[in-house]
Amino acid sequence: MRYCCLIFSICCLYLNSFTVVAQPLVVGMTHLPPFFVVGSDGSVSGTLTDLLKRTLSDANLPYVLESYPPKRLYENVAAGATDLTIGIREGNPRSDSPVIYSKFPVASIELRIYALKSTVLPSKIEGLIGRKLGLIRGFQYGTKRQLFAHPENSPRPVDINTHENALAMLVNGRIDFLLDYKEPVSSAIRKDQEELLHHLTLQSFDMYFTLSKGYPGAPEILKILENTYSRY
């Protein structure tokens, strides 16, 4: 009897494993160095790219890597077109949220206000309302982008495609402030630009495994990822 139960358990584990790995995870990322680095040839690297690849491989979960602009990645995960990424958890997720997050963060990222040294930095993000502000297109900044979306807030922020372009616009006076993350700015800034700028750190955001609820067996997959990551 015990032998039969053992055979049955092994079969169940095999079938469950087959179900888990039957559909490769579409893993999305955007250019956010040093976490995610997307080369001009489409190659992907970076610390979180390596973490995802290692975790998925150790968990025996098949995957494909895809890179997208920030806004499209955000929309893809919400729509289920992209299955997995590592991103910022926006407050307390509602029960009807299209994604689920890991129970613990796997990285953190620092949000800063940048300006020329001749410009006084506001002590709070609300001090950016009504100023010439640059935002990176597609970035939600947790939920802070919503602060500038109110129709009474004018002028509206300028959406900028790259961190390099944002820094150039700041140095050339086309914007007064830039809201951006320390890590990609540190990778993009030139020495001559750095000497002209100062910054204020607003907040550090934790980043989590972010999995679309539309992926088959999503809660079980997330547990596998969490358990695998916890061994590192």
Side-chain angles (χ1 to χ4, degrees):
M1 181 66 179
R2 290 182 178 178
Y3 178 78
C4 292
C5 290
L6 176 61
I7 295 296
F8 177 76
S9 298
I10 292 173
C11 290
C12 286
L13 285 172
Y14 173 79
L15 290 174
N16 286 339
S17 297
F18 180 78
T19 300
V20 165
V21 302
Q23 181 176 325
L25 285 150
V26 178
V27 181
M29 56 197 64
T30 191
H31 188 62
L32 185 66
F35 298 110
F36 298 120
V37 180
V38 181
S40 57
D41 59 352
S43 61
V44 291
S45 59
T47 56
L48 291 188
T49 303
D50 293 342
L51 173 63
L52 280 166
K53 292 166 66 175
R54 177 186 179 188
T55 305
L56 290 163
S57 296
D58 289 351
N60 294 316
L61 294 172
Y63 64 91
V64 292
L65 297 174
E66 301 285 351
S67 60
Y68 306 97
K71 183 178 181 181
R72 185 177 174 192
L73 174 60
Y74 178 82
E75 293 172 344
N76 276 4
V77 176
T82 297
D83 301 314
L84 174 67
T85 189
I86 293 178
I88 298 170
R89 186 174 67 187
E90 298 187 2
N92 295 318
R94 305 188 309 270
S95 59
D96 61 347
S97 172
V99 301
I100 52 177
Y101 300 93
S102 55
K103 294 178 182 178
F104 46 79
V106 296
S108 62
I109 189 168
E110 186 176 311
L111 182 63
R112 291 177 168 183
I113 302 172
Y114 292 87
L116 290 171
K117 289 181 178 178
S118 56
T119 303
V120 177
L121 290 163
S123 59
K124 297 181 179 179
I125 193 170
E126 289 79 6
L128 298 174
I129 296 174
R131 309 297 295 271
K132 290 194 296 183
L133 171 65
L135 302 178
I136 301 301
R137 188 181 305 278
F139 281 13
Q140 300 303 308
Y141 304 96
T143 57
K144 297 191 183 317
R145 178 179 278 271
Q146 299 174 14
L147 178 67
F148 307 102
H150 196 282
E152 293 182 0
N153 293 337
S154 181
R156 303 298 296 274
V158 178
D159 277 323
I160 308 169
N161 288 330
T162 69
H163 307 280
E164 289 83 357
N165 288 347
L167 289 165
M169 290 178 67
L170 185 60
V171 169
N172 293 332
R174 295 175 60 189
I175 55 175
D176 293 331
F177 299 97
L178 170 64
L179 189 63
D180 204 347
Y181 295 106
K182 169 190 172 182
E183 290 77 8
V185 168
S186 297
S187 297
I189 196 167
R190 302 194 312 262
K191 184 65 177 178
D192 60 308
Q193 293 173 328
E194 187 173 12
E195 293 172 352
L196 298 174
L197 302 177
H198 62 160
H199 68 268
L200 172 74
T201 296
L202 286 175
Q203 187 177 357
S204 291
F205 287 100
D206 288 329
M207 302 179 75
Y208 299 78
F209 288 127
T210 306
L211 184 63
S212 170
K213 285 183 179 177
Y215 186 84
E220 290 74 22
I221 294 295
L222 188 58
K223 287 179 182 178
I224 292 172
L225 292 171
E226 290 173 337
N227 292 337
T228 303
Y229 176 84
S230 296
R231 298 200 299 264
Y232 299 149

